[in-house]
Amino acid sequence: MSSAWLLPEHIADVLPSQARRIEELRRDLLDGARAYGFELVMPPLLEHLDSLLSGTGSALDLKTFKLVDQLSGRTLGVRADTTPQVARIDAHLLNRQGVTRLCYCGPVLHTRPEGLHGTREPLQFGAEIYGHAGLEADLEVQEIALDALQRAGVKKLTLDLGDARIVRGALADVTLDAATRDAVYAALAAKDQPALDALTTGFPAESRAAVLALLRLYGGDDVLAAARRELPARPLIKAALDDLQWLTQHLRAAYPDVRIGFDLADLSGYAYYSGARFAIFAAGSSDTLVRGGRYDEVGAIFGRNRPAVGFSTDLKQLVVLASVHPLRPAIRAPWGEDAALRQAIRQLREQGESVVCVLPGHEHEGQEFDCDRELVASNGQWLVRAL
C-alpha cells in the first residue's frame, strides 16, 4: 500500500475547523498587540545559519534544520525561534533610536518536538519591546501576554516569575567551564539535588549554599522573603529580587484573578535571557503556554546591543484551551446562471456577507459556516430570508 499521504512524525495538517479557530485567534491576538502600539513584522522562514545561531541564539543549534542554498552554496537554517530575527530587524533594518514595539506571527520548525504529543511546526506569536531598560517594559510585556490568554478565553492562569540574574549571582565567584555550567543549570532545572551536591563539591561555601538553596526556592509569596534570608546579599541577586517584588505588586493590582508564583531556579527555555523571566500556565495543565522575559544581549551580535524584552506562544497549543467561537453566520444561495442571481450574490459579498453557493447535487452537505439565511427568488427578485 502506498504511504505517499503520510506526513513526517510530529508534523500534521490543520483541518478546516481547527484552522478556522487558529486564524480567529491569530487575528484576535494581533489586534490586541496593535492596541498596545506594536507593529507587525514578517521575518523570512530561512536565513543564513550564522545569522540564526550567532551570539545568544547558539542555544537553538540542535533545534534548527539545516540545508544548503543552491544559489550561494552557503548553509541555511529554517528558523526555530523568531526572536533573533526580530533583533536583527530592530538592529539593522529599522535602526531606530527610541522605543520600538514589534510583534509577529508565523511558523517555526523544530528538529524535535517539545513533548510526546507536541508538534515540530509551532505557529509562534510573540511581542517584543526594544530600547527601554526599565521595568516598565517588562511589565507591559507580561500584561500583553496575560491579555492575550484572556482574550483567547483561557481560564485560571498561573504566572511563574524568575530571574536569570539570581543563578548568575549565586555563581558569581565560581569559575566554571561551559560543560560544568550547563550541567549545573540542568540539575537546577530538574531539581536534582544529588547531581547538584556532586557538581558543587568544590565551590566556595557561600556559593554552594546559595545554589543548593535555590532548589527549595519555588512556590508562593514566601519565596521572595526566604530568598532574601538564604541567598547572599550580592548586587545581582538583590536587584533581581527587588525587580520581582515590583512586578508582583503591579501585576496583582491589575490581574487579581491570576495566581502568581516563583521559581528562582527556573532556567528552562533559551539561554539568551538576561533578567526577569516568566512562564504562564493554565489550570490542569503542566504545559507552558507562554514563555518570555528580558534578553538585553540578543542584538549584540548584530552590532547594536539594545535593551529587549518579549514573549512568545504557540497558537496550535493555545487553541486547544481557547474558547470556541460560534460558526460565522452565512447565507445559503442556489447555484444558477441567472444574471440577477449572480449579481445579488456579488452585492452581498461586497457588503461583507459570506454567501455559500450550493453546487448541484450537494444540497445537503455541511461546511464551516452557520447558514442561518438563504437567498430565494420572490416576485422576480432575489431576497434574503431567515432559515
Side-chain angles (χ1 to χ4, degrees):
M1 180 181 293
S2 171
S3 60
W5 56 273
L6 292 175
L7 292 174
E9 291 184 64
H10 297 278
I11 298 290
D13 293 305
V14 181
L15 301 181
S17 179
Q18 191 82 335
R20 171 180 62 85
R21 296 176 62 200
I22 290 174
E23 177 60 14
E24 289 171 349
L25 183 58
R26 185 191 70 86
R27 295 182 185 186
D28 202 23
L29 297 192
L30 287 175
D31 287 344
R34 179 181 288 274
Y36 274 79
F38 284 76
E39 301 171 272
L40 180 64
V41 293
M42 296 180 179
L45 191 59
L46 294 173
E47 284 206 41
H48 292 126
L49 190 63
D50 51 2
S51 175
L52 284 178
L53 302 183
S54 44
T56 51
S58 59
L60 300 172
D61 187 19
L62 294 178
K63 287 189 173 184
T64 302
F65 277 96
K66 290 100 173 175
L67 63 155
V68 176
D69 185 0
Q70 297 296 311
L71 295 180
S72 67
R74 294 181 62 180
T75 303
L76 303 180
V78 182
R79 67 176 178 221
D81 180 42
T82 313
T83 291
Q85 295 183 293
V86 180
R88 174 183 55 76
I89 289 173
D90 173 72
H92 272 288
L93 300 183
L94 295 178
N95 200 28
R96 296 171 180 169
Q97 295 304 311
V99 170
T100 301
R101 292 177 172 89
L102 301 175
C103 63
Y104 57 85
C105 189
V108 296
L109 193 63
H110 295 166
T111 53
R112 293 179 178 273
E114 294 289 345
L116 182 63
H117 302 293
T119 177
R120 291 196 288 168
E121 190 188 15
L123 182 60
Q124 191 179 58
F125 168 82
E128 309 187 3
I129 300 177
Y130 293 88
H132 186 72
L135 284 176
E136 298 85 358
D138 297 73
L139 180 61
E140 182 172 312
V141 160
Q142 291 176 23
E143 288 177 337
I144 189 175
L146 288 168
D147 285 353
L149 295 182
Q150 291 184 341
R151 288 171 72 94
V154 183
K155 307 295 184 183
K156 296 182 180 179
L157 298 175
T158 296
L159 173 71
D160 270 6
L161 292 170
D163 197 302
R165 293 171 294 177
I166 292 176
V167 174
R168 291 171 190 165
L171 296 172
D173 64 345
V174 184
T175 301
L176 297 175
D177 58 68
T180 304
R181 181 200 61 208
D182 291 346
V184 170
Y185 285 2
L188 280 170
K191 303 290 190 288
D192 187 345
Q193 181 160 351
L196 211 54
D197 282 334
L199 288 165
T200 59
T201 299
F203 285 17
E206 187 179 58
S207 294
R208 186 170 194 261
V211 172
L212 293 175
L214 288 173
L215 291 174
R216 305 186 299 273
L217 293 175
Y218 64 92
D221 289 351
D222 57 329
V223 168
L224 295 185
R228 294 186 190 277
R229 293 194 307 268
E230 298 184 35
L231 299 180
R234 296 174 180 173
L236 271 182
I237 295 175
K238 184 179 185 304
L241 293 175
D242 289 346
D243 288 355
L244 292 177
Q245 188 72 54
W246 187 91
L247 289 167
T248 301
Q249 291 172 352
H250 286 275
L251 289 165
R252 282 236 166 85
Y255 301 93
D257 295 332
V258 173
R259 178 185 174 275
I260 298 178
F262 306 90
D263 187 348
L264 302 190
D266 179 22
L267 295 166
S268 51
Y270 301 133
Y272 50 57
Y273 290 113
S274 61
R277 49 192 293 162
F278 65 95
I280 306 177
F281 305 86
S285 173
S286 60
D287 294 331
T288 305
L289 292 180
V290 170
R291 190 172 294 281
R294 180 164 286 278
Y295 32 81
D296 289 343
E297 305 296 323
V298 73
I301 195 65
F302 303 114
R304 194 159 185 243
N305 203 6
R306 248 156 79 82
V309 59
F311 78 92
S312 65
T313 184
D314 174 18
L315 296 196
K316 290 183 179 178
Q317 178 191 25
L318 182 57
V319 77
V320 176
L321 299 173
S323 57
V324 179
H325 290 188
L327 294 176
R328 179 173 177 172
I331 299 169
R332 186 174 66 195
W335 189 92
E337 299 183 50
D338 178 65
L341 169 61
R342 301 178 72 81
Q343 178 63 22
I345 292 172
R346 187 176 298 109
Q347 288 178 348
L348 287 168
R349 287 172 175 163
E350 289 172 352
Q351 294 166 10
E353 296 282 3
S354 293
V355 182
V356 180
C357 282
V358 179
L359 299 178
H362 299 272
E363 289 78 10
H364 302 291
E365 295 179 5
Q367 63 281 311
E368 270 290 302
F369 295 91
D370 177 18
C371 291
D372 58 353
R373 291 154 294 162
E374 65 178 345
L375 191 61
V376 296
S378 177
N379 298 323
Q381 293 183 312
W382 288 97
L383 303 175
V384 177
R385 74 177 184 190
L387 284 173

